[in-house]
Amino acid sequence: MKFFIDTANIEEIKKAAELGVLDGVTTNPSLLAKEDGNYKDILKRICELVDGPISAEVTALEADNMVSEASELCKIHKNIAVKVPCTRDGFIATKRLSDKGIMVNMTLCFSPLQALLAAKAGAAFISPFVGRLDDISHVGMDLIEQIIQIYENYVFSTEVLVASVRNPLHVVESALMGADVITMPFKVIEQMAKHPLTDIGLEKFLADWKKVKKD
Ligand code: G3P
């Protein structure tokens, strides 16, 4: 299972990378809007920090323009994975980009049918947004289960990248289902490492260690 971080914040990326378990980064226009500086410089810096797929999203809506924008984004670094939305034009652009060997992460996926089209178009990743489905009272993780099943039925190589992750339970369920990748906000990565019983246990061990004779 690959771990990506869902942020464009350099400090968060540095701290997550320090853990030694980071395989890539996902950004989107909303995440880049929160940061200071030119988006291309930010993406370049991220590519220097993490050796893995770094998702950068196109904002064009029409297939030809998506392809041109994708080509520009790919010039930033060899590890750029172009994020393309699951729209009609997005599928057309994805097929064209994938045929050229460009790594595409199809984003804003909310249905198994969109995921099936993404795989047929040759996307490297499909990003179903589980948190946003939960937000409207649909069980986001049900979509992950369906996509994994469909991809297994036909041995598609598109990787299931669980996105819009809001809490550690999304991570547990994704791992149990065998999702290929999960992209997590920094907060969730931090939560993964923590357990109150670990802290309480450690405190007791350290207190008892003071009572142990050392000479
Ligand atoms: O990167 C896309 C996705 O993870 C967005 O998450 O929390 O804005 O729904 P969120």
Side-chain angles (χ1 to χ4, degrees), residues 88-107:
R88 191 177 189 283
D89 278 79
F91 294 115
I92 297 168
T94 296
K95 173 78 177 119
R96 284 165 52 187
L97 291 165
S98 303
D99 283 351
K100 286 203 275 186
I102 291 172
M103 194 166 33
V104 179
N105 174 4
M106 289 211 80
T107 189

Side-chain angles (χ1 to χ4, degrees), residues 45-146:
R45 182 77 188 108
I46 296 173
C47 290
E48 287 162 1
L49 286 171
V50 180
D51 185 19
I54 311 299
S55 289
E57 191 157 339
V58 299
T59 52
L61 298 176
E62 192 273 326
D64 283 342
N65 296 335
M66 284 176 174
V67 171
S68 321
E69 204 181 334
S71 310
E72 284 306 305
L73 288 170
C74 287
K75 285 181 192 158
I76 297 173
H77 194 276
K78 64 176 173 48
N79 286 349
I80 291 286
V82 180
K83 250 183 169 182
V84 174
C86 284
T87 58
R88 191 177 189 283
D89 278 79
F91 294 115
I92 297 168
T94 296
K95 173 78 177 119
R96 284 165 52 187
L97 291 165
S98 303
D99 283 351
K100 286 203 275 186
I102 291 172
M103 194 166 33
V104 179
N105 174 4
M106 289 211 80
T107 189
L108 288 167
C109 170
F110 294 98
S111 88
L113 298 172
Q114 290 177 320
L116 188 52
L117 281 174
K120 293 281 288 178
F125 303 101
I126 181 69
S127 289
F129 278 26
V130 295
R132 292 193 195 183
L133 280 170
D134 291 349
D135 290 346
I136 58 157
S137 305
H138 285 251
V139 180
M141 291 310 297
D142 285 353
L143 175 59
I144 303 300
E145 198 169 18
Q146 288 180 322

